[in-house]
């Protein structure tokens, strides 16, 4: 491995790919930066990472939030008091722990397979595949919400979008247009989401200022415990504050991920909480009757306090929000497909990139899923996606703790400053929330959601062996060798001491080759029941 350790030209925090991996050829590091080949996969020589701090913050913002749109059903289900408390408590119990896990593991595995790599490293390729499939299904289901939300927000000016053929034409046309923008590349997506963020912040800043003279503090105390729809409230609150881990599937496109990811997630948490809490407080101070709050109601509040011009501005902000959220989610879902293909989980053809560097079939498959689901209602879609997302998150939490216990020496450019028992305590409330959300469809006998969740599990359990059979028989072409990680012993501490990044100076900030470098890494064979993907003796 000596030749690999000398070819580190960019982020000194990126773990090495074992040489048996098809993506180790020519570079040996996930995300080498040199050259001008913007469209090469992470890890190949010439691949250039295009995402910096500001675009990454805005992509995370749109993955998770995109503004206060979508909070209306929480108000109608539980009233002002519980909604406000929800946006104060849920970020501490759920968003912060999930963001911390994402920061640690996305910097340890800076590649586009994201959480698939995390779970595979902990439990092997079978469970890594399940994680990838469940997360992708949940993400595509989530993305089908945004054309629906955009149609709802535009109904204040175009009431024909409420139902009938105009609604379906709008949903299909908007989905295809936004998918085409994603096809044009992450540079286009990055510019779009930065612009969309500014277009959302400005009108809601004006709305908050205009609401202040009309605020009635007693509005915030309203709650009718007898009529609270706990299932809808918890599902909507959970959906509004989840998907922090989705950005990990773009880790192979992020410049200097060891430094950029933690900073971006910290900034994004603050931005998301502020963009939910402040406009919700302002609007509820003016109109607190839960029955009035339906999807797109911020435009109505804007019209009441500012007039038609502010209502129109809020509708434009809603359009920017839904466009930005669609772009961020589509990028995450499609790059996940591409990353899984490059890692041998899916047929090689699914990893194909366009001339813009974007995943062709990843975008096509994700767009098809969106078109199939976009005709459903907001609450119906949220309930479906949350159930499957809970399964994926529980698996991620287990993988995170397992890697901390079994691979404590694995290089972690960012590490949550807690011992294992502290991490377990941090994740207990979040895990309890996941179990509650997962159990609600069963308690309510929501057979559609139960069937959707069970179908996703059954699909994963049958797809994996079917793909392994296709690989063995040669029916489909896969990347050779499957998943390989060789994260142990990368940072040998020489006499020169640690680098500024907390690692040590050798060649290009890494350890000088030792005799241990010649030892062959442990290779994870696809389909193996027992896996040790992070093995290899640490050089002494």
């Amino acid at each position: 491995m000596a030749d690999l350790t000398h070819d580190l030209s960019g982020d000194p925090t990126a773990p090495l790919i074992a040489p048996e991996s098809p993506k180790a050829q020519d570079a040996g590091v996930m995300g080498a930066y040199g050259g001008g080949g913007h469209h090469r996969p992470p890890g190949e020589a010439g691949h250039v990472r295009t995402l910096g701090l500001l675009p990454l913050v805005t992509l995370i913002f749109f993955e998770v939030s995109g503004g206060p749109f979508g909070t209306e059903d929480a108000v109608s289900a539980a009233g002002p008091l519980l909604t406000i408390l929800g946006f104060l408590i849920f970020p501490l119990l759920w968003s912060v722990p999930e963001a911390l896990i994402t920061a640690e593991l996305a910097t340890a595995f800076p590649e586009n397979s994201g959480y698939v790599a995390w779970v595979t490293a902990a439990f092997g390729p079978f469970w890594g595949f399940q994680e990838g499939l469940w997360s992708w299904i949940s993400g595509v289901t989530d993305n089908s919400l945004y054309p629906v939300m955009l149609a709802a927000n535009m109904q204040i000016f175009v009431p024909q979008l409420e139902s009938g053929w105009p609604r379906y034409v709008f949903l299909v046309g908007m989905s295809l247009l936004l998918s085409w923008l994603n096809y044009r590349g992450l540079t286009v997506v990055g510019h779009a989401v930065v612009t969309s963020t500014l277009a959302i912040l400005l009108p809601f800043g004006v709305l908050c200022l205009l609401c202040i003279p009309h605020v009635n503090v007693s509005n915030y105390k309203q709650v009718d415990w007898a009529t609270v729809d706990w299932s809808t409230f918890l599902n909507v609150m959970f959906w509004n504050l989840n998907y922090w881990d989705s950005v990990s599937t773009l880790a192979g496109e992020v410049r200097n991920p060891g430094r950029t990811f933690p900073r971006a997630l910290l900034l994004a948490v603050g931005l998301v909480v502020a963009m939910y809490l402040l406009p919700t407080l302002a609007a509820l101070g003016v109109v607190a009757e839960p029955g009035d709050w339906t999807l797109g109601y911020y435009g109505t509040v804007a019209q009441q306090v500012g007039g038609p011009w502010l209502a129109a501005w809020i509708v434009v902000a809603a359009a920017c929000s839904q466009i930005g959220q669609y772009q961020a989610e589509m990028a995450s879902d499609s790059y996940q497909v591409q990353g899984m293909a490059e890692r041998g989980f899916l047929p090689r053809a699914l990893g194909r990139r366009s001339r813009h560097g974007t995943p062709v079939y990843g975008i096509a498959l994700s767009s098809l899923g969106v078109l199939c689901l976009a005709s459903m209602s907001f609450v119906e879609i949220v309930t479906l996606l949350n159930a499957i997302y809970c399964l994926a998150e529980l698996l991620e939490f287990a993988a995170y703790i397992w890697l901390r216990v079994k691979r404590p020496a694995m290089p972690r450019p960012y590490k949550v400053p807690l011992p294992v028992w502290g991490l377990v305590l941090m994740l207990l409330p979040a895990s309890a929330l996941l179990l509650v959300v997962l159990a609600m469809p069963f308690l309510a006998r929501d057979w559609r959601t139960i069937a959707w969740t069970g179908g996703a599990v059954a699909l994963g359990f049958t797809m994996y062996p079917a793909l392994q059979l296709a690989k063995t028989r040669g029916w489909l072409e896969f990347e050779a060798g499957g998943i390989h990680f060789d994260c142990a012993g990368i940072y040998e501490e020489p006499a020169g001491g640690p680098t500024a990044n907390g690692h040590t100076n050798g060649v290009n900030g890494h350890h000088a080759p030792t005799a241990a470098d010649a030892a062959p890494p442990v290779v994870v064979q696809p389909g193996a029941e027992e896996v040790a993907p992070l093995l290899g003796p640490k050089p002494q």
Side-chain angles (χ1 to χ4, degrees):
M1 288 180 61
D3 55 66
L4 297 178
T5 59
H6 283 274
D7 195 25
L8 302 174
S9 56
D11 178 15
T13 64
L16 298 179
I17 299 180
E20 284 78 3
S21 171
K23 298 306 167 193
Q25 298 173 2
D26 304 324
V29 175
M30 289 185 274
Y33 303 152
H38 290 264
H39 307 154
R40 296 176 183 266
E44 280 194 356
H47 174 74
V48 177
R49 298 177 182 237
T50 58
L51 286 178
L53 178 63
L54 184 58
L56 187 61
V57 171
T58 54
L59 278 169
I60 297 170
F61 171 66
F62 281 110
E63 289 275 12
V64 178
S65 169
F69 307 105
T71 61
E72 299 93 334
D73 283 283
V75 177
S76 63
L81 178 62
L82 288 178
T83 301
I84 293 169
L85 289 176
F87 284 120
L88 290 172
I89 296 172
F90 272 68
L92 296 176
L93 297 182
W94 171 255
S95 299
V96 171
E98 191 186 14
L100 288 173
I101 289 176
T102 300
E104 180 170 324
L105 292 181
T107 55
F109 300 95
E111 58 166 291
N112 291 347
S113 55
Y115 32 67
V116 179
W118 313 346
V119 175
T120 301
F123 304 129
F126 175 82
W127 288 109
F129 181 84
Q130 308 311 313
E131 171 71 21
L133 180 66
W134 296 343
S135 298
W136 182 80
I137 292 174
S138 177
V140 169
T141 308
D142 175 68
N143 218 14
S144 66
L145 281 170
Y146 304 121
V148 173
M149 294 173 67
L150 180 56
N153 280 286
M154 293 183 65
Q155 285 174 28
I156 188 173
F157 296 113
V158 189
Q160 292 84 356
L161 294 179
E162 183 176 359
S163 62
W165 68 265
R167 176 182 176 83
Y168 290 111
V169 170
F170 175 83
L171 293 176
V172 171
M174 186 58 61
S175 298
L176 293 176
L177 174 61
L178 296 181
S179 295
W180 176 78
L181 287 176
N182 217 276
Y183 171 80
R184 289 300 306 276
L186 276 181
T187 301
V188 175
V189 172
H191 290 321
V193 295
V194 171
T195 304
S196 296
T197 302
L198 295 174
I200 295 166
L201 292 176
L202 289 175
F204 274 102
V206 173
L207 177 64
C208 289
L209 291 174
L210 292 179
C211 283
I212 290 174
H214 305 282
V215 166
N216 181 358
V217 177
S218 64
N219 287 356
Y220 301 138
K221 304 176 183 178
Q222 293 188 26
V223 58
D224 185 354
W225 297 99
T227 61
V228 172
D229 182 352
W230 289 103
S231 177
T232 298
F233 174 68
L234 289 175
N235 268 300
V236 172
M237 290 298 302
F238 180 67
W239 172 77
N240 274 299
L241 290 163
N242 64 16
Y243 282 102
W244 296 94
D245 59 330
S246 292
V247 75
S248 68
T249 62
L250 299 174
E253 314 301 320
V254 176
R255 293 195 298 267
N256 194 5
R259 177 177 173 83
T260 304
F261 256 104
R263 297 169 64 200
L265 283 160
L266 175 64
L267 293 171
V269 168
L271 180 60
V272 166
V273 173
M275 277 304 295
Y276 276 134
L277 193 57
L278 296 181
T280 303
L281 280 170
L284 285 173
V286 175
V287 182
E289 183 57 45
D292 293 337
W293 281 75
T294 58
L295 200 61
Y297 194 65
Y298 283 99
T300 303
V301 176
Q303 191 164 28
Q304 180 174 332
V305 298
W309 66 272
L310 185 56
W313 201 4
I314 292 294
V315 170
V316 171
C320 292
S321 173
Q322 273 85 71
I323 290 171
Q325 286 177 290
Y326 190 102
Q327 295 300 327
E329 185 64 58
M330 177 61 72
S332 175
D333 297 340
S334 59
Y335 274 95
Q336 180 193 333
V337 171
Q338 175 256 323
M340 290 179 71
E342 287 185 351
R343 281 309 200 167
F345 278 111
L346 296 173
R348 176 181 289 177
L350 294 181
R352 177 188 166 192
R353 292 191 182 224
S354 71
R355 61 189 178 91
H356 305 290
T358 48
V360 176
Y361 295 115
I363 291 175
L365 288 173
S366 300
S367 300
L368 180 62
V370 168
L371 292 173
C372 293
L373 294 165
S375 62
M376 299 174 65
S377 72
F378 175 81
V379 174
E380 289 172 339
I381 296 174
V382 166
T383 304
L384 290 180
L385 70 91
N386 278 348
I388 300 176
Y389 183 74
C390 288
L391 293 174
E393 285 302 298
L394 288 169
L395 196 51
E396 283 181 29
F397 286 1
Y400 177 66
I401 298 297
W402 184 264
L403 289 173
R404 272 295 194 100
V405 172
K406 295 296 184 180
R407 303 286 178 257
M410 183 181 77
R412 292 171 170 87
Y414 170 79
K415 186 176 182 179
V416 180
L418 289 173
V420 172
W421 64 266
L423 297 174
V424 172
L425 290 178
M426 178 185 77
L427 292 178
L428 278 178
S431 300
L433 175 62
L434 290 171
L435 292 173
V436 169
V437 174
L438 189 58
M440 284 192 302
F442 294 89
L443 296 175
R445 297 184 181 181
D446 180 356
W447 300 115
R448 176 168 53 187
T449 303
I450 293 171
W452 182 257
T453 308
V457 173
L459 180 63
F461 282 20
T462 55
M463 262 188 80
Y464 183 81
L467 288 173
Q468 297 307 303
L469 180 63
K471 182 184 300 186
T472 302
R473 298 289 179 87
W475 296 336
L476 296 171
E477 186 179 2
F478 290 77
E479 291 286 6
I483 288 271
H484 306 271
F485 297 110
D486 181 30
C487 298
I490 295 172
Y491 307 113
E492 177 71 6
E493 187 170 337
T499 67
N501 280 9
H503 300 295
T504 56
N505 283 315
V507 181
N508 291 328
H510 290 255
H511 74 281
T514 68
D517 287 318
V522 175
V523 178
V524 180
Q525 296 298 333
E529 293 299 323
E530 297 294 328
V531 184
L534 301 178
L535 296 180
K538 182 170 181 172
Q540 300 299 320

